[in-house]
Amino acid sequence: MMTQLTQRSQTKVFEGLHAQYSHNSAALNCTMQFAIFLPPAASKETPVPVLYWLSGLTCTDENFMQKAGALKLAAELGIAIVAPDTSPRGDDIPDDPDQAYDFGKGAGFYLNATQAPWHEHYHMYDYVVDELPKIIEAEFPVTTSKSISGHSMGGHGSLTIALKNPQSYCSVSALAPIANPSNGLWGQKAFTNYLGSDRSAWHEYDATELIKERGYDKPILADVGTADSFETEELHSQTFLEAAEAAGVSIEFNFREGYDHGFYFVASFIENHLHFHAKHLFAT
């Protein structure tokens, strides 16, 4: 696969390298940017496994890399981290006409839109599942072993992508995931606009519905703060857990006392998630 990458930045950190690249995306029909952290162990002779990180509403490739405090441990564990942007970008990309934060640019919801005008660009599912991993594996010293994680909207993305592609990921984790978007205001707005009014089409991008219908036999870890103000109306953790239990799927799900939805919460538990993924990435 020949993809022209343009390096936007490169910085040494914890003896590894953090870099940003842009490229023309066939899946999204626009120029996209992603960030990659390569640990010091990574080389052509010793390629390393990859953790794909999906960020939440309003985020870009930068938020997690700068705020989560994940790079030191990733360097020690020998894991690359790839963080794509959260939606297509550019002046020609349609956006929420009201400029709201929960739809359009910055809010791609990791799905393939079917409704105009969104269907020409908003194919984040194809980008994350297919196009971006092919680029990473062709251009960087990594193996084909990969796991996936994310926060909030990105937690929704990591769960739905893993549930739909169990053969592709060694493990999946999520922090404060939107676990039943069909029953939340964010999800209903996004799904109606991107996918249309037929709720059966929404099931393909709803972790609760997917785990009911398909089950899952790979390791899952999730954390939610008990002081997360979005839990009741947007996240629906308990609904997801009940669906998993009914389907016979085991999940390590932690309710973290007093934590809210933000990056202080992510930073507090990201090392647990990195250790979790390392266990399964290096078991293959």
Side-chain angles (χ1 to χ4, degrees):
M1 180 177 182
M2 298 298 292
T3 300
Q4 184 66 44
L5 297 181
T6 300
Q7 188 178 92
R8 298 299 185 185
S9 69
Q10 179 172 292
T11 305
K12 185 173 182 178
V13 53
F14 298 114
E15 300 302 320
L17 287 175
H18 172 276
Q20 291 173 302
Y21 292 88
S22 63
H23 69 101
N24 291 325
S25 167
L28 300 172
N29 193 26
C30 68
T31 299
M32 286 296 286
Q33 182 166 292
F34 67 85
I36 183 169
F37 170 73
L38 291 169
S43 68
K44 290 183 179 179
E45 293 73 27
T46 59
V48 297
V50 184
L51 176 64
Y52 285 85
W53 173 268
L54 307 183
S55 289
L57 291 167
T58 76
C59 292
T60 68
D61 66 283
E62 295 183 330
N63 299 75
F64 174 80
M65 293 295 199
Q66 294 178 1
K67 295 181 178 181
L71 303 188
K72 184 175 188 294
L73 182 58
E76 295 170 0
L77 293 172
I79 297 173
I81 300 177
V82 172
D85 202 347
T86 52
S87 77
R89 304 278 181 175
D91 293 340
D92 297 330
I93 305 299
D95 198 4
D96 189 311
D98 297 324
Q99 299 296 303
Y101 73 93
D102 57 357
F103 182 73
K105 294 180 187 179
F109 272 83
Y110 305 103
L111 50 71
N112 287 341
T114 59
Q115 304 300 300
W118 322 104
H119 66 296
E120 293 189 6
H121 297 282
Y122 284 80
H123 294 159
M124 286 298 296
Y125 177 86
D126 283 349
Y127 181 69
V128 171
V129 172
D130 184 48
E131 184 176 18
L132 184 58
K134 287 180 179 177
I135 293 170
I136 299 301
E137 291 166 15
E139 300 291 337
F140 299 97
V142 301
T143 70
T144 57
S145 294
K146 57 185 182 290
S147 291
I148 191 164
S149 185
H151 171 230
S152 192
M153 181 186 70
H156 142 77
S158 67
L159 289 173
T160 56
I161 285 170
L163 290 169
K164 292 173 71 168
N165 301 275
Q167 74 287 350
S168 297
Y169 301 93
C170 299
S171 51
V172 56
S173 75
L175 291 118
I178 304 172
N180 186 205
S182 299
N183 288 317
L185 297 178
W186 289 338
Q188 289 169 357
K189 178 179 179 179
F191 287 1
T192 300
N193 282 284
Y194 289 138
L195 303 173
S197 59
D198 181 358
R199 291 178 71 96
S200 65
W202 300 5
H203 288 192
E204 285 296 302
Y205 301 103
D206 187 313
T208 296
E209 299 298 334
L210 286 170
I211 212 163
K212 282 181 189 176
E213 297 167 5
R214 306 189 185 199
Y216 194 67
D217 62 357
K218 294 286 184 70
I220 305 177
L221 169 65
D223 288 276
V224 171
T226 62
D228 192 322
S229 61
F230 298 116
E231 169 59 33
T232 301
E233 292 188 354
E234 304 292 356
L235 306 187
H236 299 288
S237 302
Q238 198 60 48
T239 306
F240 175 67
L241 284 172
E242 290 170 2
E245 183 178 3
V249 177
S250 177
I251 300 176
E252 183 182 341
F253 204 109
N254 304 299
F255 288 95
R256 302 295 188 177
E257 185 66 32
Y259 285 90
D260 63 15
H261 195 76
F263 262 94
Y264 290 117
F265 161 68
V266 174
S268 296
F269 298 103
I270 192 61
E271 291 192 358
N272 294 0
H273 286 246
L274 290 175
H275 281 297
F276 168 80
H277 289 298
K279 176 181 176 182
H280 300 292
L281 284 167
F282 289 108
T284 59

